[in-house]
């Protein structure tokens, strides 16, 4: 029987799936496993997005610990600009094998381009066989240049490394600042880990994605680079086994799928500041439907056309968003500057204390002792400055 949910309960399920309720995860690795993976982005006006995503779930964690579990203990690895659990390597081995099979236009062009540059490819692998290297120490020996209408045009070394990363032949084994360090995959990944079968990959990916979404439409669950064919059957199997439920949401079109274990939990909320790239808000339609929260990343919007600001962090309180603020870190003066703080519709000045507390916590974690607010909602100044 189809489950009927209120929008409030749907929002709570999405929050719980994203580990943003009061039941915090147990450490960095547990967080990445619970989310499935964590996006990496170099934009660091306040902090790198992978750090902010972990901070939102864990609180004031030690960023050096992330480096340790990735590069020393190898419990996590970097793949397609995401931090992934090494425990899921067998699933990603399946993804790596699919890249070689050229199953879409991008993969077809990339693999064909690598084949056309086989001498360049073998040269890169020979260099890395002698030890890890940054890309700047690898010479461009491409016989056919990479064609793109975007920023990858003629960036042959980086495209070859990315292609070899996608097939698992090379791996990212560290970073020197923003620069990635590359090595052979066989020297980095645990030995003996082989790709799971197509059906097993479909089931594992669907199970993890549904748990991380909490609640989602089928098309959302099936839209990702690591989703193999057969995912629809895997989703149906989860429903048949009682591990997922079909549902409708009050006032929303279409049907949804819900993670059964989350349905059995009572929601207990908390407050948190989210990265602009956080997966809870990355889908604008989903954010409007579940939270009545219209969020658009404006980093790439020309300044005169921005409504909210360049690097805007939402503030979640319980099961709703109460504010968003455009901020930047000013390390020279030890300041976290809030350029503009915006109250969400229906939010009263009582939320100012919540926002003030979360901004102070964020500042302390970043090592910034001063909090400065430039533009704030009317009636909020006193609570923010207290």
């Amino acid at each position: 029987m189809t489950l009927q949910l209120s929008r409030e309960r749907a929002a709570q399920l999405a929050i719980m799936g994203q580990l943003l309720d009061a039941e915090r995860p147990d450490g960095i690795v547990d967080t990445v496993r619970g989310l499935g993976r964590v996006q990496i982005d170099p934009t660091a006006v306040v902090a790198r997005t992978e750090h902010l995503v972990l901070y939102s779930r864990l609180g004031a964690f030690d960023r050096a610990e992330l480096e340790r579990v990735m590069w020393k203990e190898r419990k996590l690895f970097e793949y397609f600009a995401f931090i992934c659990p090494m425990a899921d390597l067998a699933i990603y081995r399946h993804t790596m094998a699919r890249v070689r099979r050229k199953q879409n236009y991008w993969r077809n062009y990339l693999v064909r381009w690598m084949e056309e540059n086989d001498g360049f490819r073998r040269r890169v692998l020979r260099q890395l066989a002698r030890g890890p290297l940054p890309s700047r120490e690898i010479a461009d020996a491409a016989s056919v240049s990479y064609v793109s209408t975007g920023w990858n045009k003629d960036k042959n070394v980086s495209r070859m490394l990315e292609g070899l990363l996608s097939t698992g032949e090379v791996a990212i084994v560290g970073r020197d600042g923003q620069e990635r360090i590359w090595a052979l995959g066989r020297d980095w990944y645990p030995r003996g880990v082989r790709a799971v079968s197509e059906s097993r990959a479909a089931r594992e990916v669907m199970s993890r994605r549904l748990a991380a979404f909490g609640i989602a439409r089928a098309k959302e669950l099936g839209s990702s680079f690591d989703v193999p064919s057969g995912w629809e059957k895997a989703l149906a199997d989860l429903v048949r086994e009682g591990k997922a439920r079909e549902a409708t949401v009050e006032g929303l079109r279409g049907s949804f799928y819900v993670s059964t274990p989350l349905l059995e939990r009572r929601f207990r909320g908390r407050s948190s500041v989210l990265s602009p790239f956080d997966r809870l808000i990355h889908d604008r339609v989903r954010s409007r439907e579940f939270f009545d929260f219209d969020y658009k990343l404006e980093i790439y919007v020309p300044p005169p056309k921005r409504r909210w600001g360049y690097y805007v962090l939402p503030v979640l309180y319980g099961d709703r968003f109460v504010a968003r603020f455009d901020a930047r870190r000013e390390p020279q003066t030890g300041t976290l500057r809030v350029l503009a703080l915006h109250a969400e519709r229906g939010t009263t000045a009582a939320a100012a204390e919540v926002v003030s507390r979360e901004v102070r916590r964020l500042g302390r974690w970043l090592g910034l002792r001063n909090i400065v607010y430039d533009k704030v909602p009317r009636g909020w100044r006193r609570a923010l400055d207290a």
Side-chain angles (χ1 to χ4, degrees), residues 338-383:
V338 176
L339 302 163
L341 171 63
H342 307 274
E344 296 305 313
R345 185 171 60 247
T347 300
T348 67
E353 292 185 11
V354 174
V355 174
S356 176
R357 181 181 68 240
E358 289 305 317
V359 172
R360 288 198 306 270
R361 285 175 176 171
L362 178 62
R364 284 197 300 270
W365 175 62
L366 295 170
L368 305 173
R369 63 185 181 277
N370 302 317
I371 307 295
V372 176
Y373 293 92
D374 291 347
K375 179 183 176 182
V376 303
R378 181 179 298 176
W380 285 41
R381 177 70 67 178
R382 180 176 297 179

Side-chain angles (χ1 to χ4, degrees), residues 56 59 86 124 142 145 181 185 190 208 221-222 234 252 261 269 286 296 300 311 316 338 342 368 371 375 377:
S56 297
M86 192 66 83
V124 170
S145 193
I181 308 300
R208 283 161 170 72
L221 295 169
L252 301 184
R286 182 178 167 92
K296 179 182 179 181
Y300 308 108
Y311 201 82
L316 179 68
V338 176
H342 307 274
L368 305 173
I371 307 295
K375 179 183 176 182

Side-chain angles (χ1 to χ4, degrees), residues 59-95:
F61 77 100
D62 183 0
R63 280 164 284 181
E65 184 183 355
L66 176 60
E67 302 297 308
R68 178 173 58 80
V69 296
M70 284 194 72
W71 313 127
K72 300 295 184 183
E73 298 180 4
R74 304 190 192 185
K75 293 180 179 179
L76 304 171
F77 69 99
E78 186 173 333
Y79 187 64
F80 274 132
F82 288 95
I83 298 172
C84 307
M86 192 66 83
D88 289 347
L89 180 59
I91 301 171
Y92 284 97
R93 284 291 192 198
H94 183 272
T95 303

Side-chain angles (χ1 to χ4, degrees), residues 227-336:
V227 176
S229 60
W231 65 268
E232 296 98 334
K233 180 182 183 304
L235 182 58
D237 287 344
L238 291 174
V239 172
R240 179 175 52 79
E241 296 165 11
K243 296 176 181 177
R245 292 279 305 272
E246 290 188 69
T248 58
V249 178
E250 179 186 8
L252 301 184
R253 294 180 178 179
S255 60
F256 295 80
Y257 291 87
V258 183
S259 172
T260 302
L262 291 182
L263 280 173
E264 298 168 352
R265 281 175 45 193
R266 181 174 65 90
F267 177 75
R268 294 186 302 119
R270 60 179 173 88
S271 55
S272 57
V273 173
L274 304 190
S275 159
F277 297 90
D278 198 286
R279 304 308 287 180
L280 184 67
I281 56 169
H282 83 286
D283 187 318
R284 193 176 183 185
V285 172
R286 182 178 167 92
S287 296
R288 286 198 298 255
E289 287 183 334
F290 288 170
F291 303 104
D292 194 23
F293 181 64
D294 190 8
Y295 186 84
K296 179 182 179 181
L297 184 66
E298 295 184 315
I299 288 176
Y300 308 108
V301 175
K305 296 184 178 181
R306 289 179 190 144
R307 181 182 179 187
W308 307 108
Y310 179 77
Y311 201 82
V312 178
L313 298 89
V315 181
L316 179 68
Y317 182 52
D319 57 11
R320 63 186 296 261
F321 288 94
V322 295
R324 68 183 87 191
F325 61 96
D326 184 20
R328 70 171 180 237
R329 184 181 68 243
E330 298 179 349
Q332 299 88 348
T333 59
T335 300
L336 177 61

Side-chain angles (χ1 to χ4, degrees), residues 158-187:
S158 64
R159 297 314 296 152
M160 180 59 72
L161 289 169
E162 291 282 358
L164 293 169
L165 175 73
S166 69
T167 61
E169 293 171 271
V170 306
I172 299 167
V173 301
R175 284 180 176 265
D176 182 6
Q178 298 277 28
E179 191 170 24
R180 294 174 292 183
I181 308 300
W182 303 84
L184 293 182
R186 71 187 186 207
D187 295 334

